[in-house]
Amino acid sequence: MNKNIRIKYLLLLFLMLLGNNAWAQTYEEKLLYSTDFQDWTKAGSSKTERTVSQKTTNGKPLDFKLMETKVDPNGTNDKFKNDCITPGYLQLSDGSITAYIETSPLASITKVKYVQAATGKDRGIKLEVRGDEDSKWVTLSTEYVVQAGSIIEKEIGNRSNVKLRFSNLSSSKGAFMTSLEIYGNVEVKSNYTVTYYDTDGTTSLGSESVTANSNLTYNTAYTNKVKQNVPSGSAFRGWFNGVGPSAEKVAEGTTVDMDLNLYAK
């Protein structure tokens, strides 16, 4: 084989191998967002669409558009008796086929899990999905609710820039959602970013790059800065994964397997 041809062949083979490995992106399914609505602000049903702004576990914005939907972060009902039920809910208005809950698009959604409940029979929550590949909303679930509470879990399929939409199955009877989990594919990286926020939940104290799958160690400088500004009579409780009352503490030693936002409390 001619020397120049051999060199070109080896170079082409090298680039092919590099493309299949070093340049290839690897993804894993992760929990992107979860709520029992205890961290949402209480609001009544309205015929004017309003937006509730949230963030995913890796810091991406996630907005919920609500139409004729009540938010009660401490709401309970004596008829909701199954173990899957927790306090707090969204309530799609009775007698309204135009009530809905709609999310802004996320780059990837692989699975949705939610708990629905009702005060009577013959009602439930319709789940629809729409990605770049869809010309219209695609129905994924029309399961009627088990009155005391039931878990609905649906795979989304191979879609990109995905939106979710929840609405009443019945035109005369409303339903409740008491919790929601959204899963999606997240790129596996060699390093992840950990960002620290002050007690107001919005002021960034700074961020740092952390080796993937290493154990989390709190940044001492950010921790001390928060402690210095704690009002008299209060105490720094630690770093949490959200700002609402249902946010959970992120312990030192936690495996860093995705970008993290830590909020001081």
Side-chain angles (χ1 to χ4, degrees), residues 2 30 93 98:
N2 181 280
K30 301 284 186 181
S93 295
T98 57

Side-chain angles (χ1 to χ4, degrees), residues 4-245:
N4 289 336
I5 295 177
R6 185 166 63 249
I7 292 174
K8 289 180 180 178
Y9 174 78
L10 292 173
L11 180 60
L12 178 62
L13 180 61
F14 171 76
L15 291 174
M16 290 175 63
L17 291 173
L18 192 62
N20 288 332
N21 293 282
W23 290 351
Q25 292 175 305
T26 303
Y27 293 86
E28 288 183 358
E29 186 179 68
K30 301 284 186 181
L31 177 63
L32 299 181
Y33 179 77
S34 66
T35 184
D36 53 13
F37 305 108
Q38 293 178 25
D39 55 340
W40 286 37
T41 301
K42 187 173 184 177
S45 175
S46 173
K47 292 184 179 295
T48 300
E49 183 184 82
R50 66 181 185 274
T51 300
V52 176
S53 296
Q54 300 285 295
K55 286 186 178 181
T56 63
T57 52
N58 56 349
K60 304 297 183 183
L62 176 61
D63 290 339
F64 290 81
K65 296 179 181 178
L66 306 183
M67 174 66 79
E68 297 181 74
T69 300
K70 176 182 178 181
V71 182
D72 191 338
N74 300 306
T76 59
N77 191 291
D78 291 341
K79 294 182 179 180
F80 305 165
K81 298 179 179 179
N82 284 351
D83 292 340
C84 60
I85 295 293
T86 53
Y89 58 67
L90 299 185
Q91 180 185 2
L92 291 157
S93 295
D94 287 346
S96 175
I97 201 65
T98 57
Y100 61 79
I101 305 156
E102 182 180 319
T103 71
S104 58
L106 290 176
S108 168
I109 298 180
T110 56
K111 181 174 65 178
V112 179
K113 182 178 179 182
Y114 58 96
V115 174
Q116 62 175 1
T119 56
K121 299 179 180 179
D122 303 323
R123 65 196 75 185
I125 295 175
K126 178 182 181 181
L127 168 62
E128 298 172 283
V129 62
R130 188 170 184 174
D132 285 347
E133 302 78 6
D134 304 307
S135 60
K136 59 182 181 180
W137 288 99
V138 177
T139 301
L140 291 186
S141 178
T142 56
E143 295 184 35
Y144 281 103
V145 68
V146 174
Q147 182 175 330
S150 56
I151 299 172
I152 305 295
E153 185 171 332
K154 295 294 178 181
E155 301 290 335
I156 297 301
N158 188 22
R159 290 181 166 89
S160 56
N161 296 320
V162 189
K163 295 189 292 185
L164 303 173
R165 186 181 177 96
F166 305 89
S167 57
N168 276 324
L169 279 174
S170 171
S171 60
S172 59
K173 302 170 183 176
F176 297 75
M177 179 187 294
T178 64
S179 66
L180 172 66
E181 296 178 1
I182 300 175
Y183 295 80
N185 286 326
V186 176
E187 184 182 355
V188 177
K189 303 177 184 179
S190 57
N191 291 281
Y192 291 105
T193 300
V194 180
T195 304
Y196 292 79
Y197 289 89
D198 210 340
T199 52
D200 62 2
T202 58
T203 302
S204 174
L205 299 171
S207 61
E208 58 185 0
S209 180
V210 177
T211 303
N213 297 315
S214 62
N215 294 330
L216 175 67
T217 301
Y218 297 147
N219 185 295
T220 304
Y222 301 144
T223 300
N224 289 339
K225 188 172 183 179
V226 172
K227 287 182 176 179
Q228 290 171 3
N229 296 326
V230 171
S232 177
S234 300
F236 174 63
R237 295 166 53 203
W239 296 102
F240 290 72
N241 62 1
V243 297

